Amino acid sequence: MIPFIYKVRFMSNPSKLDTLVAEISGTAESEYIGLYKQIPFRVRLPLFARLSALHTIQNSHNKTPRNALLNDLLEIAMDQVMFKLDEETLEALGHLEAQYYEELSQYDSGELSDD
């Protein structure tokens, strides 16, 4: 299991999707504690427009880096994909994920700041 902690205030036992929706609507906030890896990433323009709009709404309630929103969205989407995978593929994914995490966690962690 990959170590990370989400601190969520104002909710009890929320799903990741519930937490994100509550953050966007301004009824909750969370904080990620863990390692980050900076990667180059290109976003299709329609997705970036939607992301920017969502980020603007989220920031009207709590100042949140866009990277934090991207991380939350990726995590929710990946959880949904993993839910649909067969056991063999899921097991292979788990092994590869652990290998990548072990290798990448040896380096300094970045920050979620958009600066």
Side-chain angles (χ1 to χ4, degrees):
M1 186 75 176
I2 295 174
F4 64 87
I5 300 170
Y6 271 101
K7 290 184 181 177
V8 181
R9 296 176 195 94
F10 313 127
M11 296 178 76
S12 60
N13 299 320
S15 71
K16 293 170 191 164
L17 178 57
D18 291 334
T19 301
L20 181 58
V21 170
E23 288 174 353
I24 291 168
S25 60
T27 59
E29 59 184 48
S30 70
E31 179 181 275
Y32 174 79
I33 300 170
L35 299 175
Y36 302 100
K37 173 67 178 151
Q38 184 174 352
I39 60 169
F41 182 71
R42 297 189 193 285
V43 180
R44 293 188 309 260
L45 187 57
L47 287 176
F48 187 73
R50 185 181 296 169
L51 173 68
S52 296
L54 201 55
H55 184 241
T56 299
I57 291 170
Q58 185 177 27
N59 269 340
S60 70
H61 303 291
N62 276 318
K63 181 73 174 147
T64 305
R66 183 174 44 228
N67 286 324
L69 177 57
L70 279 167
N71 274 279
D72 288 342
L73 291 168
L74 276 171
E75 186 173 15
I76 291 165
M78 291 177 78
D79 285 349
Q80 293 297 308
V81 169
M82 291 175 67
F83 181 74
K84 298 285 187 175
L85 294 176
D86 62 81
E87 284 296 319
E88 183 179 331
T89 305
L90 196 55
E91 186 175 330
L93 178 70
H95 289 295
L96 288 168
E97 182 179 4
Q99 287 175 354
Y100 282 119
Y101 186 85
E102 180 67 29
E103 178 183 319
L104 295 170
S105 64
Q106 297 174 26
Y107 303 101
D108 287 337
S109 176
E111 297 179 3
L112 282 181
S113 172
D114 289 329
D115 299 331

